Amino acid sequence: MVKAGIGRLFRRRREEPEPPLVDDGTLVVVGESFDPARADSAVLADLAEAGVIVEGRQLMLRHVLRLPDAAAVAATARILAPDGWVVTAGPDGATYADRPQHVTALELARERTRMAGLAQRLGGDAEGWILLGRP
């Protein structure tokens, strides 16, 4: 009987994984950067200091792209889909590339560079990024 009691004491509690993050209209902007001269790591450091970025919190990373036409948007969607990106048309002619993830400075800088190269190759521009999260 004592063994069973001790086993329960040391059994780790399993945490339920958080449900997948989906932009269903309830997500709010928790951070953004549209200044190419400011390092992504500096923006994330400010967000971490404000308590927005915490270990284990999943956020929706949204890159804002300006692409010249529907063919470029379709090509972007085709190229990014295998990596889990969802490409949609935004307001005012912007194109959004969204993916839920745990954001780190290295990952963000890598993806920002990737989006800039892709947009440039297709005749467009990567304006910046937005982080969305649950309120």
Side-chain angles (χ1 to χ4, degrees):
M1 181 159 195
V2 174
K3 277 187 170 181
I6 291 173
R8 269 187 246 127
L9 286 175
F10 292 105
R11 194 174 306 145
R12 291 187 181 207
R13 186 175 158 215
R14 286 189 184 165
E15 291 186 27
E16 295 295 319
E18 65 181 298
L21 198 60
V22 177
D23 187 12
D24 58 2
T26 62
L27 300 180
V28 296
V29 174
V30 296
E32 62 183 24
S33 178
F34 288 88
D35 182 358
R38 186 149 191 246
D40 295 325
S41 58
V43 176
L44 290 182
D46 290 346
L47 293 173
E49 190 174 305
V52 172
I53 306 280
V54 294
E55 188 173 333
R57 182 178 186 193
Q58 188 179 54
L59 298 170
M60 179 72 70
L61 174 57
R62 171 175 287 166
H63 288 278
V64 180
L65 310 171
R66 293 284 173 183
L67 299 172
D69 53 33
V73 174
T76 300
R78 186 180 67 254
I79 292 167
L80 296 177
D83 294 326
W85 292 95
V86 175
V87 176
T88 57
D92 303 328
T95 299
Y96 295 147
D98 294 352
R99 182 172 75 179
Q101 63 187 67
H102 298 286
V103 178
T104 66
L106 178 62
E107 183 70 19
L108 184 56
R110 180 180 3 198
E111 293 300 338
R112 186 178 195 178
T113 301
R114 179 183 184 196
M115 295 298 167
L118 177 60
Q120 184 178 29
R121 196 169 58 231
L122 296 171
D125 185 37
E127 292 187 344
W129 52 263
I130 300 169
L131 291 176
L132 303 162
R134 292 186 177 100

